[in-house]
Amino acid sequence: MSDLLVLKALPQAIKEARDFVACVAGRHGLDDYIPRLVASELVTNAWRHSSKQQDIVLRAFLAEDAPVRLIIEVWDADPRPPVLCAPGESDEYGRGILLLSSVVVRWGTRPSAGGKVVFAEVA
């Protein structure tokens, strides 16, 4: 079973995503610090690459196999996948996926109807 939240592409979506994932993690007895960070980064990227008329869809669920992992997925209408890069010291953007890749078990992207899904697995 998964939990689903549809967000408007607005700045407040980031806080809503963090709170939503914290609730899902808490319901399963998991610490919410890393899930909140992951949701924040994924939804921030989706928000930055979406227009205000587009929705962002956040889904969170437990992996069905062992060990226990929370999977967080974010769908947005931009088909371009995120790019892992090495930002310069003065760059304002470009660290989110780098940060995300250092705190999750696995992350990736897949095309989806009308856009893409970016997912991350949190131990």
Side-chain angles (χ1 to χ4, degrees):
M1 183 174 130
S2 68
D3 289 279
L4 188 82
L5 179 64
V6 178
L7 301 158
K8 293 297 177 195
L10 298 169
Q12 58 263 35
I14 300 161
K15 180 187 181 318
E16 291 173 27
R18 283 192 303 259
D19 293 347
F20 172 77
V21 169
C23 287
V24 174
R27 193 168 353 123
H28 295 292
L30 303 173
D31 181 73
D32 69 351
Y33 182 77
I34 298 297
R36 289 172 61 87
L37 173 68
V38 169
S40 181
E41 290 301 330
L42 294 180
V43 171
T44 297
N45 282 349
W47 166 66
R48 282 204 176 113
H49 298 286
S50 297
S51 73
K52 290 181 183 173
Q53 294 78 30
Q54 296 171 326
D55 288 335
I56 298 167
V57 180
L58 172 62
R59 192 166 80 114
F61 58 96
L62 285 183
E64 294 183 9
D65 57 342
V68 174
R69 295 178 325 279
L70 183 65
I71 300 174
I72 300 167
E73 297 182 336
V74 173
W75 175 92
D76 68 71
D78 184 350
R80 296 172 297 167
V83 177
L84 183 61
C85 60
E89 288 182 22
S90 62
D91 290 346
E92 291 186 29
Y93 303 106
R95 290 176 180 78
I97 294 298
L98 184 62
L99 173 66
L100 178 117
S101 69
S102 70
V103 298
V104 299
V105 173
R106 178 172 82 104
W107 76 277
T109 185
R110 65 180 181 274
S112 184
K116 69 172 173 310
V117 172
V118 181
F119 66 89
E121 296 182 16
V122 179

